[in-house]
Amino acid sequence: MNNIYNDDTLKQQYMDIDIPVALDEAILEGLNRGKRKAGYQRMKRITLSAAAVLLIVVSALTVGVNVSPAFADALSDMPVIGRIVEVLRFVDGTAVGGSITDGMDIDQMEIVSREETEQFVIHFNQGSEVQTGTGAYKVQAYQNPNIYQFDIGGARMISAREDFEAIRGLERVKDVYTLMTLDDSLIRFQVVFEPFTDVEIVQISDPNGLMVTLSNSESTSANESKGDEVIYTVRSKSYPYSENLGHLEEDLMWQEREAVISTYRIIKDQAGTFVFELGQFDGEKSAQAFIDQVKDQLSMDLFIEVRSASDLPGALKAE
């Protein structure tokens, strides 16, 4: 049953959350160990264990995100479903949490508020079984463009696809889509936000899920110019959503070079197909140097794309 708490209760829950002093150091230590591991089985082990989740590679394309000190006050003006369990803290653009589970369905994405501060909840369910907690998850915050990727371990279904169109209707959401994943106990999806959108995420219970709150970043001439900044990316051709996309990712994950396995991401392009981006650079010379370093180890051709920081990649169809 959904519980709606009053403002004082929600605010107090937030303030009472205990974040150990050594948490950041522990996460970073685990992440550094994870960078030395490669291969598809590494990914599967990570998603089946909350402890192993800490070993996931941190993408060099991620942006550092941390909980806003003003978020507790913001809760006073928002309807909140469920009880706050944990406020997600991002270390080098990555937040992890939850516990080991299996057979879970990401069954609903529910819009709670369309007001000045938009809010939606990602619900988790295990059918007729009593769900005692949220499955192991990893959330990555990417920049250029503004994308959050949700990796939900132990999930075998995503009935919430039916709600994607409603989520796209939010003012600050540009798109939401799943990623091809060959692991049958892992669901991944990405939400693309408008530039200059602040994103806050908390884990809730009763019901179990993740609550996502969106608000406008403070608009300044500095961040407006950053949105128009020209960047150089190293990317693959564009591929349709298919198992071949998953096999290509496996090839990347088996690479021994940390420059490859720790930097790539998959992103939907302007035509609705998918691209591997292996890095973002400040010029053509450094981008070409990266290609020269890794091209002999990869089964895909690499190209340099010049685009605006806030734009999606262009379509470059594979033959």
Side-chain angles (χ1 to χ4, degrees), residues 17 23 25 48 62 73 75 79 85-86 107 110 128 147 150 175 215 218 226 236 269:
I17 293 171
L23 177 62
E25 290 80 358
L48 293 178
T62 55
D73 290 332
L75 284 176
V85 174
E86 179 180 1
D107 69 336
E110 176 187 8
S128 59
I147 296 177
F150 296 78
D175 201 2
S215 59
E218 185 175 341
K226 184 176 180 181
S236 70
D269 64 24

Side-chain angles (χ1 to χ4, degrees), residues 78-276:
M78 296 183 293
V80 180
I81 293 179
R83 180 175 62 85
I84 296 175
V85 174
E86 179 180 1
V87 179
L88 271 62
R89 289 195 56 161
F90 287 78
V91 177
D92 290 336
T94 300
V96 295
S99 55
I100 300 171
T101 187
D102 193 23
M104 187 171 61
D105 179 18
I106 306 169
D107 69 336
Q108 185 182 17
M109 295 178 73
E110 176 187 8
I111 296 174
V112 179
S113 173
R114 294 180 180 269
E115 302 302 323
E116 183 176 347
T117 299
E118 295 176 318
Q119 190 176 47
F120 65 91
V121 176
I122 303 166
H123 292 282
F124 304 136
N125 187 29
Q126 284 186 292
S128 59
E129 298 182 16
V130 176
Q131 183 158 345
T132 57
T134 299
Y137 59 81
K138 178 183 72 163
V139 183
Q140 292 187 102
Y142 294 110
Q143 61 180 339
N144 304 331
N146 187 7
I147 296 177
Y148 278 60
Q149 179 172 317
F150 296 78
D151 296 3
I152 312 299
R156 296 179 181 270
M157 297 177 59
I158 179 166
S159 300
R161 279 193 184 96
E162 299 176 356
D163 303 315
F164 281 4
E165 193 59 36
I167 300 299
R168 291 188 191 103
L170 292 172
E171 180 181 350
R172 297 176 181 86
V173 176
K174 298 180 69 171
D175 201 2
V176 54
Y177 50 84
T178 57
L179 295 178
M180 170 55 62
T181 309
L182 298 183
D183 188 338
D184 61 3
S185 62
L186 171 70
I187 297 290
R188 300 184 297 173
F189 61 94
Q190 292 183 345
V191 184
V192 185
F193 299 108
E194 293 287 349
F196 319 128
T197 297
D198 284 337
V199 181
E200 303 279 6
I201 306 175
V202 298
Q203 180 182 333
I204 61 173
S205 65
D206 303 322
N208 295 302
L210 297 173
M211 181 179 68
V212 182
T213 301
L214 312 176
S215 59
N216 291 336
S217 300
E218 185 175 341
S219 180
T220 65
S221 57
N223 63 25
E224 286 172 0
S225 62
K226 184 176 180 181
D228 295 330
E229 177 186 359
V230 172
I231 61 172
Y232 294 76
T233 70
V234 172
R235 54 160 291 174
S236 70
K237 292 183 178 180
S238 300
Y239 299 94
Y241 188 95
S242 66
E243 286 193 7
N244 181 54
L245 192 68
H247 292 308
L248 288 169
E249 184 177 10
E250 281 189 13
D251 290 342
L252 286 177
M253 297 182 69
W254 279 105
Q255 297 302 315
E256 295 182 359
R257 284 180 181 265
E258 185 173 311
V260 175
I261 64 173
S262 65
T263 61
Y264 84 87
R265 67 172 176 179
I266 304 174
I267 182 173
K268 192 176 181 181
D269 64 24
Q270 296 176 19
T273 47
F274 292 84
V275 170
F276 292 95

